[in-house]
Tab-separated table of all heavy atoms in Angstrom:
chain	number	residue	atom	x	y	z
A	5	MET	N	0.852	-1.196	0.000
A	5	MET	CA	0.000	0.000	0.000
A	5	MET	C	0.888	1.246	0.000
A	5	MET	O	1.788	1.381	0.830
A	5	MET	CB	-0.906	-0.005	1.228
A	5	MET	CG	-1.882	1.155	1.298
A	5	MET	SD	-2.951	1.010	2.742
A	5	MET	CE	-3.974	2.462	2.523
A	7	LYS	N	0.478	4.228	0.905
A	7	LYS	CA	0.419	5.154	2.039
A	7	LYS	C	1.234	4.687	3.244
A	7	LYS	O	1.436	5.458	4.186
A	7	LYS	CB	-1.041	5.375	2.444
A	7	LYS	CG	-1.839	6.137	1.404
A	7	LYS	CD	-3.253	6.425	1.869
A	7	LYS	CE	-4.019	7.222	0.823
A	7	LYS	NZ	-5.408	7.507	1.244
A	8	TYR	N	1.687	3.441	3.244
A	8	TYR	CA	2.463	2.941	4.388
A	8	TYR	C	3.698	3.803	4.634
A	8	TYR	O	4.024	4.158	5.769
A	8	TYR	CB	2.894	1.497	4.152
A	8	TYR	CG	1.775	0.474	4.245
A	8	TYR	CD1	1.961	-0.828	3.798
A	8	TYR	CD2	0.534	0.820	4.768
A	8	TYR	CE1	0.945	-1.774	3.882
A	8	TYR	CE2	-0.491	-0.112	4.848
A	8	TYR	CZ	-0.281	-1.405	4.403
A	8	TYR	OH	-1.291	-2.335	4.490
A	11	ILE	N	2.764	7.169	6.040
A	11	ILE	CA	2.373	7.029	7.446
A	11	ILE	C	3.608	7.026	8.334
A	11	ILE	O	3.683	7.734	9.350
A	11	ILE	CB	1.550	5.737	7.666
A	11	ILE	CG1	0.167	5.867	7.029
A	11	ILE	CG2	1.419	5.416	9.163
A	11	ILE	CD1	-0.627	4.580	7.006
A	15	LEU	N	4.868	9.654	11.205
A	15	LEU	CA	5.123	9.169	12.566
A	15	LEU	C	6.534	9.542	13.014
A	15	LEU	O	6.767	9.890	14.168
A	15	LEU	CB	4.945	7.652	12.635
A	15	LEU	CG	3.518	7.116	12.616
A	15	LEU	CD1	3.518	5.601	12.455
A	15	LEU	CD2	2.766	7.508	13.886
A	21	GLN	N	-1.565	9.861	15.424
A	21	GLN	CA	-2.266	8.957	14.504
A	21	GLN	C	-3.506	9.619	13.909
A	21	GLN	O	-3.823	9.417	12.742
A	21	GLN	CB	-2.634	7.674	15.239
A	21	GLN	CG	-1.422	6.868	15.693
A	21	GLN	CD	-1.796	5.594	16.424
A	21	GLN	OE1	-2.621	4.819	15.962
A	21	GLN	NE2	-1.195	5.367	17.574
A	25	SER	N	-4.175	10.274	9.930
A	25	SER	CA	-5.388	9.728	9.330
A	25	SER	C	-6.127	10.780	8.508
A	25	SER	O	-6.599	10.508	7.404
A	25	SER	CB	-6.309	9.175	10.428
A	25	SER	OG	-7.533	8.738	9.886
A	30	THR	N	-6.961	8.216	5.334
A	30	THR	CA	-6.986	6.770	5.558
A	30	THR	C	-7.505	6.503	6.960
A	30	THR	O	-7.550	7.408	7.796
A	30	THR	CB	-5.571	6.176	5.389
A	30	THR	OG1	-5.656	4.757	5.410
A	30	THR	CG2	-4.628	6.636	6.490
A	31	SER	N	-7.899	5.280	7.246
A	31	SER	CA	-8.492	4.974	8.545
A	31	SER	C	-7.447	4.982	9.653
A	31	SER	O	-6.257	4.719	9.415
A	31	SER	CB	-9.187	3.608	8.515
A	31	SER	OG	-8.222	2.575	8.431
A	32	ARG	N	-7.895	5.293	10.859
A	32	ARG	CA	-6.985	5.267	12.005
A	32	ARG	C	-6.499	3.840	12.290
A	32	ARG	O	-5.406	3.646	12.806
A	32	ARG	CB	-7.690	5.847	13.236
A	32	ARG	CG	-7.762	7.361	13.229
A	32	ARG	CD	-8.497	7.902	14.423
A	32	ARG	NE	-9.913	7.560	14.379
A	32	ARG	CZ	-10.797	7.930	15.307
A	32	ARG	NH1	-10.408	8.618	16.356
A	32	ARG	NH2	-12.070	7.585	15.192
A	33	ASN	N	-7.326	2.859	11.955
A	33	ASN	CA	-6.919	1.460	12.141
A	33	ASN	C	-5.713	1.108	11.278
A	33	ASN	O	-4.820	0.364	11.697
A	33	ASN	CB	-8.079	0.512	11.804
A	33	ASN	CG	-9.143	0.493	12.888
A	33	ASN	OD1	-8.876	0.847	14.033
A	33	ASN	ND2	-10.348	0.103	12.531
A	34	THR	N	-5.688	1.661	10.055
A	34	THR	CA	-4.546	1.413	9.162
A	34	THR	C	-3.277	2.031	9.732
A	34	THR	O	-2.211	1.402	9.747
A	34	THR	CB	-4.819	1.995	7.761
A	34	THR	OG1	-5.957	1.352	7.202
A	34	THR	CG2	-3.624	1.791	6.848
A	35	VAL	N	-3.400	3.266	10.211
A	35	VAL	CA	-2.243	3.950	10.807
A	35	VAL	C	-1.747	3.182	12.020
A	35	VAL	O	-0.541	2.960	12.182
A	35	VAL	CB	-2.606	5.394	11.213
A	35	VAL	CG1	-1.404	6.079	11.879
A	35	VAL	CG2	-3.062	6.193	10.005
A	36	ARG	N	-2.686	2.748	12.847
A	36	ARG	CA	-2.328	2.001	14.063
A	36	ARG	C	-1.662	0.670	13.703
A	36	ARG	O	-0.678	0.262	14.324
A	36	ARG	CB	-3.570	1.755	14.909
A	36	ARG	CG	-3.315	1.012	16.207
A	36	ARG	CD	-4.591	0.961	17.059
A	36	ARG	NE	-4.380	0.178	18.266
A	36	ARG	CZ	-4.527	-1.130	18.330
A	36	ARG	NH1	-4.884	-1.823	17.262
A	36	ARG	NH2	-4.318	-1.772	19.478
A	37	LYS	N	-2.198	-0.014	12.686
A	37	LYS	CA	-1.662	-1.309	12.263
A	37	LYS	C	-0.219	-1.162	11.786
A	37	LYS	O	0.652	-1.970	12.136
A	37	LYS	CB	-2.527	-1.884	11.138
A	37	LYS	CG	-2.071	-3.253	10.643
A	37	LYS	CD	-2.986	-3.771	9.546
A	37	LYS	CE	-2.837	-2.978	8.267
A	37	LYS	NZ	-3.576	-3.588	7.126
A	38	VAL	N	0.051	-0.128	11.009
A	38	VAL	CA	1.407	0.118	10.504
A	38	VAL	C	2.356	0.454	11.650
A	38	VAL	O	3.491	-0.021	11.703
A	38	VAL	CB	1.393	1.254	9.462
A	38	VAL	CG1	2.814	1.660	9.074
A	38	VAL	CG2	0.622	0.834	8.226
A	39	LYS	N	1.889	1.257	12.588
A	39	LYS	CA	2.707	1.654	13.738
A	39	LYS	C	3.087	0.438	14.583
A	39	LYS	O	4.251	0.248	14.956
A	39	LYS	CB	1.952	2.657	14.605
A	39	LYS	CG	2.731	3.179	15.815
A	39	LYS	CD	1.897	4.229	16.547
A	39	LYS	CE	2.693	4.848	17.692
A	39	LYS	NZ	2.998	3.897	18.766
A	40	ILE	N	2.110	-0.413	14.878
A	40	ILE	CA	2.352	-1.606	15.699
A	40	ILE	C	3.310	-2.560	14.999
A	40	ILE	O	4.236	-3.109	15.605
A	40	ILE	CB	1.018	-2.313	16.017
A	40	ILE	CG1	0.181	-1.457	16.982
A	40	ILE	CG2	1.273	-3.697	16.629
A	40	ILE	CD1	-1.207	-1.988	17.223
A	65	PHE	N	4.166	-6.766	6.608
A	65	PHE	CA	3.084	-7.756	6.625
A	65	PHE	C	3.411	-8.916	5.681
A	65	PHE	O	2.792	-9.085	4.627
A	65	PHE	CB	1.761	-7.100	6.208
A	65	PHE	CG	1.451	-5.854	6.983
A	65	PHE	CD1	1.531	-4.611	6.379
A	65	PHE	CD2	1.118	-5.912	8.331
A	65	PHE	CE1	1.267	-3.459	7.097
A	65	PHE	CE2	0.855	-4.770	9.055
A	65	PHE	CZ	0.930	-3.528	8.442
Side-chain angles (χ1 to χ4, degrees):
M5 183 177 181
K7 292 184 178 179
Y8 288 167
I11 290 171
L15 285 170
Q21 295 180 49
S25 175
T30 189
S31 70
R32 282 178 292 181
N33 285 339
T34 298
V35 178
R36 181 173 176 274
K37 181 179 70 172
V38 172
K39 182 177 185 294
I40 291 173
F65 309 109

